[in-house]
């Protein structure tokens, strides 16, 4: 189905192998894939992994020499592919883009275990393959998640990664239950979503961050002062002085530095869990004597499933999760990314293309 209002070309922020700065270039607007949609981008979230994607060269087989960045998108369906039948979507629908929808084949070892986001054969929008820092993106029908009423495109965009990763980590991986005590390291874009999910579950949450302002935000969400580690205070000391040694069921590490993981092993209770989500350090140290003696479970999380995106969007539409997101201009991507890397952005930024402002 053709939409006469779609222009032939667009501008996109692209990663070229060997080039550590993003390139802003004019490229053709892609056609709608036979089994999917052409989506006009209304908002696209900037993630810290965009920095890593630019600065560290990877050699995964599915990575193209050049591709459009942006793995958190939301937009309007403007063209529908020829083979799309009985779709729940129609022209004009607003959808969040699930960046890693998998190949969808019943013979795929990941997709047939509902782990499409770990499938290497399917699309990886903005992660080695064309993503959402552009005016348009071509997606498979499996990547389209309906945006519920009351959720803005910027919220929808950041829900697909920052929201979904946090939700999947807390609910599906760590399986945190009401009444449990969770120590949460890091209240950035993901950590703040995790905090809201934890409070919704009914867990007691003790928070640690290096920024006073974000701790203040946690206080506003209802975390009592006694559960906020003062900036600069040693975490192990805080836990000891507050008698929390046998209390912490799960440590959720949304920072991922050697220090936070070391603290996590020391402060979690016997039989407890450490949930590893942040990746600030490329290496960390497991102390086997502590981990074995305490019989700890260490869990890792990567992204989330399609159903997690749907559930997160539902929580946002009900006001249970309020993603902290500010809007910027698509043209300003390099500056926004630099600010994010330097810790100048307090939560999440969504970029809006000029056609949607
Ligand atoms: Zn990301
Ligand atoms: Zn697959």
């Amino acid at each position: 189905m053709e939409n006469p209002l779609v222009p032939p070309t667009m501008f996109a922020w692209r990663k070229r192998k060997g080039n550590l700065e993003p390139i802003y270039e004019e490229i053709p607007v892609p056609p709608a894939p036979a089994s999917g949609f052409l989506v006009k981008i209304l908002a696209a979230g900037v993630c810290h992994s965009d920095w890593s994607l630019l600065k560290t060269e990877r050699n995964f087989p599915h990575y193209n020499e050049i591709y459009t960045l942006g793995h958190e998108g939301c937009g309007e369906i403007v063209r529908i592919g020829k083979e799309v039948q009985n779709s729940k979507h129609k022209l004009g629908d607003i959808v969040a883009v699930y960046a890693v929808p998998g190949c969808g084949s019943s013979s795929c070892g990941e997709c047939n275990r509902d782990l499409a986001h770990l499938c290497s054969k399917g699309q990886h929008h903005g992660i080695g393959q064309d993503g959402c820092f552009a005016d348009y993106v071509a997606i498979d029908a499996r990547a389209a998640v309906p945006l519920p009423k009351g959720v803005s495109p910027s919220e929808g965009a950041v829900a697909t990664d920052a929201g979904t990763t946090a939700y999947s980590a807390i609910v599906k991986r760590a399986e945190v239950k009401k009444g449990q005590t969770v120590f949460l390291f890091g209240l950035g874009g993901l950590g703040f979503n995790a905090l809201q999910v934890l409070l919704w579950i009914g867990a007691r949450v003790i928070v640690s961050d290096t920024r006073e302002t974000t701790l203040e935000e946690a206080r506003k969400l209802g975390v009592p002062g006694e559960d906020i580690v003062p900036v600069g205070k040693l975490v192990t000391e805080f836990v000891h002085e507050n008698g929390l040694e046998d209390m912490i069921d799960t440590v959720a590490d949304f920072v991922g530095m050697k220090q936070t993981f070391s603290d996590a092993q020391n402060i979690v209770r016997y039989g407890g869990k450490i949930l590893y989500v942040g990746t600030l350090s490329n290496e960390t140290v497991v102390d086997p004597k502590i981990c074995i003696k305490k019989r700890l479970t260490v869990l890792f999380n990567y992204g989330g499933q399609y159903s997690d995106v749907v559930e997160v969007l539902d929580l946002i539409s009900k006001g249970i999760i309020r993603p902290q997101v500010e809007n910027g201009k698509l043209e300003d991507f390099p500056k926004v990314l630099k600010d994010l890397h330097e810790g100048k952005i307090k939560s999440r930024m969504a970029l809006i293309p000029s056609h949607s402002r």
Side-chain angles (χ1 to χ4, degrees):
M1 242 182 261
E2 289 301 304
N3 183 324
L5 298 177
V6 177
T9 62
M10 63 179 185
F11 278 89
W13 283 108
R14 315 200 86 199
K15 161 71 180 170
R16 182 189 289 279
K17 205 168 186 183
N19 198 329
L20 303 188
E21 296 300 323
I23 305 165
Y24 196 47
E25 65 177 5
E26 191 171 8
I27 55 172
V29 171
S35 61
F37 310 117
L38 180 69
V39 171
K40 178 182 171 183
I41 295 292
L42 300 177
V46 183
C47 174
H48 196 261
S49 49
D50 292 316
W51 181 270
S52 322
L53 288 163
L54 272 167
K55 307 291 179 187
T56 49
E57 304 273 328
R58 305 174 196 211
N59 281 318
F60 297 123
H62 65 270
Y63 273 51
N64 296 333
E65 282 290 310
I66 183 160
Y67 64 91
T68 302
L69 288 157
H71 54 273
E72 300 185 349
C74 184
E76 177 189 344
I77 294 178
V78 292
R79 281 180 181 163
I80 296 182
K82 291 184 195 73
E83 292 168 14
V84 177
Q85 282 171 351
N86 306 323
S87 173
K88 57 189 170 191
H89 304 291
K90 58 183 189 311
L91 280 179
D93 280 3
I94 311 293
V95 292
V97 176
Y98 180 47
V100 282
C103 69
S105 162
S106 57
S107 62
C108 168
E110 277 68 56
C111 291
N112 68 15
R113 286 183 293 154
D114 195 15
L115 297 172
H117 57 307
L118 305 182
C119 166
S120 60
K121 296 185 284 293
Q123 281 287 321
H124 290 68
H125 292 291
I127 311 162
Q129 297 169 357
D130 285 345
C132 301
F133 291 153
D135 294 332
Y136 296 86
V137 65
I139 63 169
D140 191 273
R142 285 191 314 280
V145 189
L147 195 73
K149 280 208 170 58
V151 180
S152 73
S154 302
E155 290 173 328
V158 302
T160 60
D161 178 24
T164 297
T165 302
Y167 177 86
S168 178
I170 297 293
V171 174
K172 303 283 176 72
R173 297 292 284 146
E175 300 178 281
V176 175
K177 301 284 184 289
K178 185 177 178 173
Q180 291 185 336
T181 299
V182 176
F183 191 103
L184 174 60
F185 277 113
L187 292 173
L190 270 76
F192 205 80
N193 289 331
L195 174 59
Q196 295 176 79
V197 171
L198 287 164
L199 294 173
W200 164 68
I201 289 170
R204 176 183 180 187
V205 194
I206 299 151
V207 294
S208 166
D209 195 278
T210 52
R211 296 160 296 185
E212 291 284 3
T213 46
T214 42
L215 292 175
E216 194 47 46
E217 296 290 329
R219 199 188 299 268
K220 282 185 202 155
L221 275 185
V223 179
E226 69 200 54
D227 288 346
I228 297 175
V229 183
V231 173
K233 177 83 181 168
L234 282 180
V235 165
T236 43
E237 256 178 45
F238 178 89
V239 167
H240 178 68
E241 287 167 15
N242 290 276
L244 294 166
E245 276 116 337
D246 303 321
M247 297 278 296
I248 298 166
D249 298 288
T250 298
V251 177
D253 189 352
F254 281 75
V255 175
M257 291 176 69
K258 277 188 180 166
Q259 186 62 52
T260 53
F261 191 65
S262 163
D263 287 342
Q265 295 167 78
N266 282 300
I267 64 174
V268 72
R269 74 188 301 179
Y270 280 67
K273 296 175 187 172
I274 300 176
L275 174 65
Y276 208 113
V277 183
T279 55
L280 270 189
S281 293
N282 289 331
E283 292 180 338
T284 200
V285 177
V286 173
D287 184 329
K289 290 217 165 50
I290 296 181
C291 290
I292 290 171
K293 185 163 158 246
K294 284 186 160 180
R295 207 215 62 182
L296 301 185
T297 304
V298 182
L299 297 154
F300 296 90
N301 188 56
Y302 175 77
Q305 291 148 298
Y306 183 98
S307 58
D308 296 330
V309 185
V310 173
E311 285 159 36
V312 164
L313 287 171
D314 183 53
L315 291 179
I316 295 173
S317 76
K318 290 174 176 154
I320 291 164
I321 298 179
R322 292 172 204 275
Q324 289 195 313
V325 57
E326 296 164 62
N327 290 341
K329 296 177 180 173
L330 180 62
E331 306 90 275
D332 294 339
F333 168 61
K335 174 161 188 337
V336 170
L337 186 62
K338 187 162 175 281
D339 286 350
L340 182 69
H341 181 65
E342 290 170 0
K344 290 181 189 160
I345 292 174
K346 112 171 164 233
S347 52
R348 207 74 168 169
M349 286 287 289
L351 303 179
I352 317 292
S354 59
H355 64 44
S356 299
R357 297 201 293 265

